[in-house]
Amino acid sequence: MTKVRRRRELVCRWVPEGLEVGVPGQQQWVRLSPELVTVMERAGAGIEVDDLACGFGPEHERAVRAAIDGLTLVGVLESPDVVREDPPLWDRWGGIAERFHTEARDADYLVDGPERAEEAGVIVAQGGAPDSFKQYLDRPVVLLPRQPLALNASVGWVFAGRRTHRRFTRDPVSLDQLGTLLFHSFAPHRFTDGGVFGVQQCRVSASAGARHEVEAYVVVYQVTGIPPGLYHYSAARHALELLDDDVPRERVAELSYGQEASYQGAFTVLTTAVANRLAWKYRHPRAYRLWMYDAGHYGQTFALAATALGLGPFQTVAFQDSAVEDLLGVDPDEEFAVYLLAAGVPDAPTALLPGDFAFPPPGTVH
């Protein structure tokens, strides 16, 4: 006799019309009536089709068999004998990640043509454009030097010298070094005409649609001329806005799982994404990826600029999101933590390999 089971790792959602289940591997959702939900529940980990069909009474048997066939056809039910060779990553990352990956594929960006112009016009006409800059105008401010330090190191030297540093001296970083690093990493260098979307920023780091949703918060420990504390970097004013004057290294250690490099430099930069800057323009699931790309762009610019300034950069995503957001006082539904960056005076030579480096013997697990 034939058996069926409910496909594991199904993702469901409620919509005004009822409950829907995502078809694995497809950008398709199947709307389920309460009766179909009951069929799936009774299928469970495996049941004979005859038993499942008859379990609703003879008057419903034909309809239940048709429902079983339909649910099996779309892949919501399956035979227990089916041996799936799904990519191991979905076993490791889970059904939620698989569903997101499926939904985020093959979006129509409408790059050129009249449809793009029409869509842009609709977005702009609806209004509600988020602010391009975030500022705390009521907080004490430290104005940073407008003239950045010259970056005289060659591109080749910076590329060769960039690496993640984990040990720092307790020597202070200068005001000019920090100001230059923040300017190149997070501030606009110039502006351009974005058409219906208005003035757009040109920064060193690439950003989807020039939305530049990344914000930077700086925890200062040892920077000449700047009192220790937590600051928001105002890209509009090229200034630091004081949020909290009592954020010691230990506080950052708690939210970064004790990673010493995250708090033992001269300062730590906690970056966030003001996600609606993206969502206002890009209104499809694939756009959720964009802040990840942008965070990486900013992180690499930070690391290269720090290297050019003679500083040692560090970066990690190993932190407690909620703890970071609590520290910054941001609403995680509107602005969420994305990257932890830090820098200071490096405490070790910048040799590419330790002097005792050797390849491990063949077959060694590492």
Side-chain angles (χ1 to χ4, degrees):
M1 298 177 69
T2 304
K3 298 180 71 173
V4 292
R5 68 182 177 195
R6 182 178 63 248
R7 182 87 172 262
R8 70 186 187 91
E9 296 284 12
L10 293 176
V11 175
C12 300
R13 69 183 184 187
W14 284 102
V15 296
E17 294 78 16
L19 180 65
E20 294 183 340
V21 61
V23 177
Q26 302 180 41
Q27 289 179 327
Q28 180 181 351
W29 293 82
V30 176
R31 189 165 303 146
L32 301 177
S33 65
E35 292 78 14
L36 287 176
V37 173
T38 303
V39 171
M40 289 180 57
E41 288 177 342
R42 293 189 183 182
I47 187 174
E48 301 289 348
V49 170
D50 289 344
D51 292 341
L52 180 57
C54 295
F56 291 85
E59 69 276 19
H60 299 299
E61 182 176 347
R62 179 176 297 180
V64 173
R65 288 185 183 276
I68 293 170
D69 290 342
L71 292 172
T72 303
L73 181 64
V74 299
V76 176
L77 293 180
E78 65 182 5
S79 168
D81 298 329
V82 171
V83 178
R84 297 196 174 276
E85 297 184 358
D86 295 330
L89 63 93
W90 301 131
D91 284 333
R92 296 163 185 162
W93 288 351
I96 299 296
E98 180 184 16
R99 190 69 217 168
F100 164 69
H101 181 71
T102 299
E103 290 289 313
R105 290 171 59 82
D106 303 319
D108 186 355
Y109 272 85
L110 302 175
V111 175
D112 291 305
E115 290 183 347
R116 180 180 185 273
E118 181 180 349
E119 182 177 281
V122 170
I123 291 172
V124 173
Q126 289 177 349
D131 292 334
S132 298
F133 295 101
K134 181 175 184 179
Q135 298 187 76
Y136 293 84
L137 297 177
D138 60 337
R139 304 298 177 90
V141 65
V142 176
L143 298 175
L144 297 171
R146 284 286 178 177
Q147 178 64 46
L149 296 174
L151 301 182
N152 295 321
S154 70
V155 172
W157 184 91
V158 173
F159 283 177
R162 194 229 71 82
R163 59 188 49 82
T164 300
H165 288 260
R166 297 180 180 274
R167 290 188 294 169
F168 306 96
T169 71
R170 289 301 176 97
D171 295 332
V173 167
S174 74
L175 177 67
D176 287 287
Q177 283 178 306
L178 179 60
T180 301
L181 178 57
L182 293 176
F183 172 70
H184 289 305
S185 299
F186 301 105
H189 281 204
R190 60 186 61 86
F191 298 88
T192 187
D193 182 2
V196 296
F197 291 108
V199 176
Q200 293 183 326
Q201 304 171 51
C202 297
R203 302 190 186 187
V204 175
S205 296
S207 176
R211 302 307 300 162
H212 293 291
E213 73 286 350
V214 175
E215 291 286 335
Y217 297 80
V218 186
V219 185
V220 172
Y221 313 117
Q222 286 180 295
V223 177
T224 303
I226 304 180
L230 169 65
Y231 298 83
H232 171 255
Y233 174 63
S234 170
R237 296 197 285 172
H238 188 49
L240 293 175
E241 299 158 335
L242 180 64
L243 303 182
D244 190 336
D245 62 5
D246 185 22
V247 181
R249 299 177 191 269
E250 292 78 13
R251 185 99 178 262
V252 177
E254 291 173 358
L255 58 82
S256 61
Y257 302 100
Q259 297 176 88
E260 293 182 351
S262 67
Y263 60 88
Q264 288 193 345
F267 57 89
T268 300
V269 180
L270 302 165
T271 66
T272 64
V274 181
N276 195 42
R277 288 185 197 156
L278 281 173
W280 179 74
K281 182 177 181 181
Y282 297 110
R283 304 184 178 193
H284 46 72
R286 185 186 183 88
Y288 184 81
R289 297 180 182 181
L290 300 180
W291 66 261
M292 302 181 197
Y293 303 150
D294 291 350
H297 298 156
Y298 276 86
Q300 183 69 327
T301 299
F302 175 91
L304 293 173
T307 302
L309 289 164
L311 302 176
F314 171 80
Q315 53 278 319
T316 183
V317 294
F319 54 78
Q320 300 175 48
D321 301 59
S322 298
V324 171
E325 291 151 2
D326 286 344
L327 172 65
L328 303 181
V330 299
D331 180 353
D333 288 333
E334 299 291 336
E335 180 179 354
F336 43 82
V338 296
Y339 218 173
L340 186 154
L341 311 170
V345 178
D347 188 31
T350 57
L352 291 176
L353 298 173
D356 59 352
F357 174 81
F359 286 108
T364 302
V365 177
H366 57 84

